[in-house]
Amino acid sequence: MHTPMTSRFQRVSLAAVFGCSICVALSACAPTTPEWESHFGEAAREAVAQQTLNPEASLNTAPVNGVDGPAAKEAIGLYLNSFKEPEPSSNGFTIGVGK
């Protein structure tokens, strides 16, 4: 049995559901991404800036004091040879033992 009150309630309910679904669908088009992208990378740039001891270090062209030529050459040679002869791998059960 349909009464005028029931059909009116159904129409109002249907209109409310339809209106809410339109609002939800349109909210997906909200322009939030440009705001997020405008701050992209700020944390990384700030971390690099905080870890830089002397930002103007590249402008200093004076030679570095403290290491003589033969010692520097030997250090570079050892460093480069460390890539030619990798350290042999050990058993997985002895991690950090014997070093």
Side-chain angles (χ1 to χ4, degrees):
M1 173 154 98
H2 295 289
T3 63
M5 187 64 156
T6 308
S7 73
R8 183 171 186 257
F9 177 74
Q10 288 175 345
R11 283 183 284 163
V12 170
S13 297
L14 183 62
V17 168
F18 183 71
C20 287
S21 63
I22 291 294
C23 289
V24 169
L26 290 177
S27 70
C29 300
T32 58
T33 303
E35 176 63 27
W36 294 340
E37 289 177 356
S38 68
H39 300 290
F40 184 77
E42 282 182 1
R45 285 189 294 274
E46 186 175 335
V48 168
Q50 289 174 349
Q51 294 175 23
T52 303
L53 182 63
N54 183 5
E56 287 84 26
S58 63
L59 302 175
N60 184 2
T61 58
V64 178
N65 295 328
V67 178
D68 61 338
K73 185 176 180 181
E74 184 65 23
I76 294 295
L78 290 174
Y79 173 74
L80 293 175
N81 286 336
S82 71
F83 296 106
K84 293 178 184 174
E85 302 167 10
E87 187 176 317
S89 62
S90 61
N91 187 350
F93 295 108
T94 59
I95 295 174
V97 177
K99 286 192 175 194

